[in-house]
Amino acid sequence: MAKLNLFIRICIAVLLVLGIIYVGSQVKFIFTPVLSLFRVVIVPLMLAVFFYYLLRPLIDLLAARRLNRSAAILLVYVCIAILLLGFSVGVWPSLQNQLMNLVNNMPSIFKSVGEQLTKLEDSQLLSSLIPADMNPAGQLMEYLNKGFSLITSSVSELISFVSNFAVVLFTFPILLFYMLKEGGKFGDRVIRIFPRSYHEEGAGVVAEIDEAMSGFIVGRVLVNLALGVLMYAGFLMIGLPYALLLTIVAVLMNFIPFIGAILSAVPIFIFGLIESPSTAVWSIVVVLVAQQIQDNVVAPYIFGKSLDIHPLTTIILVLAGGDFGGIIGILLIIPVYMMLKIITVKLYQLFIRQRRGEEPPQLSADSAE
């Protein structure tokens, strides 16, 4: 009888959940403005959180030297503006020339890639490895032409993106200013949500999440900068065309876990193939060596054991994030997983303590401060 009652309760709970989902689908016009607002806010909010963790140590250092926190933020903003001005004067002209040359030479680039692939197909080594009914050169050129057509046909979407980017560029510095000004007050407000008896556990969870996010974002930036220096030096040594542009693309793509490194290697190989097959091979060697130095030397030194995520877990998370939220989901999935992991572990530890009748551990005076 007890088992039957339990089964009935489970069935009722399932029916209630399904009923809530059904009612929600019928009144989705209520949630549409909320989703639209979320899409507008998510990008500037992501940028604000990203730069918050990058700039917070500097702001805290200036504030510790008895400089007003708002004045410290404005001083950092002025320094960033000077750096951007220096970038626009020193780096942007060269980068702009490479972009213009790339756009103007795109037809000849496709032709050169096709010629190189045809030569490779005619070589005895590859002809013995590739089946006779396959035409890899034609297939690759077809994919490249489709990609180029997709880019040229997306001019209207690009204009829309630029307009949205202008909104982001205007809103995220304001969000960042108030986040830096408030400092650690946000964590205190989150702790107040918890019942008073769990304030200490809540403070521990908030502090651990904050430390994990700070280590992940700052460490990722440092690791990617080291990767960019290694790749750019290697590209200059082998004479790879568009070395600066390809390095910047590779560094930005490397913020996407696992998939970014693979995607960035494709244009590097193609532009190396324009020069010669040997340059293409050496470009991949440079990428692999730089990635190995990054993964085995730089990353363990910077991250230590703070990023304890198995590579297989990373792949699954990236695929799931891309399926649910596209590029935004891919960028957010690892930090969200880290936060959920910390919360789940803390809740499990609290549950075990309550089952054993133990009192929650008290924070020491130093940790409470």
Side-chain angles (χ1 to χ4, degrees):
M1 187 66 182
K3 292 183 178 180
L4 181 60
N5 292 334
L6 177 62
F7 176 75
I8 292 174
R9 289 199 297 268
I10 293 174
C11 291
I12 293 174
V14 172
L15 290 175
L16 286 174
V17 171
L18 293 176
I20 293 172
I21 295 174
Y22 174 76
V23 172
S25 65
Q26 298 301 312
V27 293
K28 58 183 179 181
F29 62 89
I30 298 177
F31 302 102
T32 300
V34 178
L35 292 175
S36 300
L37 180 63
F38 176 77
R39 293 190 187 99
V40 172
V41 173
I42 185 63
V43 175
L45 186 60
M46 285 174 56
L47 287 173
V49 171
F50 179 81
F51 283 98
Y52 167 75
Y53 281 108
L54 283 182
L55 299 178
R56 186 179 64 176
L58 180 59
I59 301 298
D60 291 341
L61 178 63
L62 294 175
R65 294 179 179 269
R66 298 183 179 180
L67 183 65
N68 181 271
R69 197 169 185 89
S70 298
I73 298 170
L74 293 176
L75 178 62
V76 171
Y77 274 25
V78 171
C79 294
I80 292 175
I82 294 173
L83 291 176
L84 290 176
L85 181 61
F87 174 83
S88 63
V89 174
V91 180
W92 176 247
S94 175
L95 187 61
Q96 186 180 24
N97 289 334
Q98 291 191 16
L99 282 170
M100 295 302 297
N101 291 333
L102 176 61
V103 173
N104 295 330
N105 297 330
M106 192 63 70
S108 61
I109 289 173
F110 284 168
K111 183 179 178 181
S112 299
V113 172
E115 292 175 353
Q116 293 291 351
L117 290 174
T118 303
K119 291 179 181 179
L120 289 176
E121 282 186 355
D122 294 338
S123 65
Q124 295 181 354
L125 177 62
L126 289 181
S127 60
S128 61
L129 297 176
I130 299 175
D133 57 343
M134 288 186 62
N135 183 16
Q139 292 177 357
L140 181 58
M141 291 303 300
E142 182 181 354
Y143 292 144
L144 291 177
N145 287 323
K146 287 182 179 179
F148 184 70
S149 300
L150 182 61
I151 293 173
T152 54
S153 63
S154 303
V155 176
S156 60
E157 295 181 6
L158 180 62
I159 295 174
S160 175
F161 172 79
V162 170
S163 62
N164 292 334
F165 183 74
V167 175
V168 171
L169 197 63
F170 177 76
T171 55
F172 108 84
I174 300 175
L175 291 173
L176 177 60
F177 178 85
Y178 284 105
M179 290 176 68
L180 290 172
K181 184 179 179 181
E182 293 296 323
K185 295 180 181 179
F186 178 75
D188 296 335
R189 293 186 182 125
V190 173
I191 294 171
R192 293 173 189 170
I193 300 175
F194 296 91
R196 185 176 296 274
S197 57
Y198 294 102
H199 275 192
E200 293 181 355
E201 286 79 8
V205 171
V206 171
E208 192 169 346
I209 290 176
D210 181 72
E211 182 181 358
M213 291 291 293
S214 177
F216 173 75
I217 292 176
V218 176
R220 179 59 63 187
V221 171
L222 294 176
V223 165
N224 286 352
L225 288 177
L227 177 69
V229 172
L230 293 171
M231 292 179 66
Y232 186 61
F235 292 161
L236 291 179
M237 291 175 60
I238 65 175
L240 184 69
Y242 307 102
L244 178 61
L245 178 61
L246 291 174
T247 301
I248 293 175
V249 171
V251 170
L252 294 177
M253 292 294 292
N254 205 56
F255 279 98
I256 302 176
F258 183 74
I259 296 177
I262 299 175
L263 293 178
S264 63
V266 175
I268 292 172
F269 176 79
I270 291 175
F271 284 102
L273 195 61
I274 296 173
E275 290 292 305
S276 65
S278 62
T279 304
V281 173
W282 278 112
S283 65
I284 296 301
V285 171
V286 169
V287 172
L288 292 177
V289 171
Q291 289 284 351
Q292 289 302 312
I293 295 175
Q294 177 206 34
D295 295 338
N296 299 311
V297 179
V298 180
Y301 177 77
I302 293 177
F303 287 116
K305 294 184 178 294
S306 61
L307 191 62
D308 188 16
I309 303 178
H310 195 275
L312 182 60
T313 304
T314 302
I315 296 172
I316 295 174
L317 289 173
V318 169
L319 294 176
D323 183 62
F324 282 108
I327 185 66
I328 301 297
I330 292 175
L331 293 174
L332 287 177
I333 191 65
I334 299 297
V336 170
Y337 170 78
M338 293 169 60
M339 291 188 290
L340 292 178
K341 181 180 179 181
I342 292 172
I343 294 172
T344 303
V345 170
K346 292 298 181 182
L347 288 176
Y348 177 76
Q349 292 174 351
L350 182 62
F351 173 76
I352 293 298
R353 286 202 304 267
Q354 289 180 343
R355 289 290 299 270
R356 293 176 179 176
E358 300 177 2
E359 292 293 331
Q362 300 293 324
L363 294 179
S364 62
D366 295 335
S367 61
E369 294 175 356

